[in-house]
Amino acid sequence: MLTLEQGADGIVTVRASETLTRSDYDRFVPEFEQLAKTLGPVRLLLDLENFRGWDLPGLWEEFKFDVSHQDDLGRVAVVGEPGWQEWATRLSKPFFKAESRFFDRTRMAEARAWLAGT
C-alpha cells in the first residue's frame, strides 16, 4: 500500500507498506503528480514500514515512476530498517537526479531535519 500526506512543513510523506502492486501506483501517481504541480520539486520522506517489496507489475510501475518523475523530486529521505532497504537506497542513487539518503527508523527526526535543510 502507498499513502501520501503533505505536511505543514512542505514535506511530503509517502508510506510504503506490505507488497506494492500496480493498483497501488494507479492510485498514488495521480495524487503525487498533482502535489508536484503545486509544490515544484517535492521534498519526500519515504517511510518504509513493514515494507516487503513489489510484485512484478508493481516493480515495473516503480521503475516507470522513477524515470518519469525525476524532475519532480527534490531531496528524498528514505526511512526504514537497516539491511536490504538501506542497500537498495544506496544502489538506486546513480539513477536519480535528486539527492537521497537512508535513515534508520530511529532517526526519523534527523531525516525530517535533513529534508528541511536544517
Side-chain angles (χ1 to χ4, degrees), residues 13-112:
T13 300
V14 173
R15 287 184 178 81
S17 60
E18 304 301 326
T19 302
L20 299 182
T21 67
R22 175 180 287 148
S23 63
D24 291 321
Y25 286 90
D26 290 345
R27 288 186 302 273
F28 168 77
V29 171
E31 191 175 354
F32 176 85
E33 289 173 344
Q34 185 60 42
L35 270 178
K37 283 181 190 176
T38 303
L39 298 175
V42 174
R43 291 177 292 147
L44 185 74
L45 175 73
L46 179 56
D47 185 359
L48 304 175
E49 187 170 3
N50 297 318
F51 180 62
R52 292 183 172 73
W54 302 263
D55 68 7
L56 194 55
L59 183 59
W60 177 246
E61 294 302 315
E62 173 65 24
F63 286 134
K64 289 186 344 187
F65 177 84
D66 292 347
V67 169
S68 63
H69 292 91
Q70 290 220 17
D71 293 331
D72 296 329
L73 296 170
R75 285 183 165 183
V76 178
V78 180
V79 177
E81 303 299 327
W84 79 268
Q85 292 173 356
E86 181 176 13
W87 176 82
T89 301
R90 290 178 190 206
L91 183 65
S92 67
K93 276 187 178 187
F95 302 105
F96 284 99
K97 292 179 186 177
E99 184 179 4
S100 65
R101 285 191 189 171
F102 179 85
F103 296 86
D104 183 282
R105 181 154 303 289
T106 61
R107 298 173 52 211
M108 179 72 78
E110 186 180 338
R112 287 190 168 283

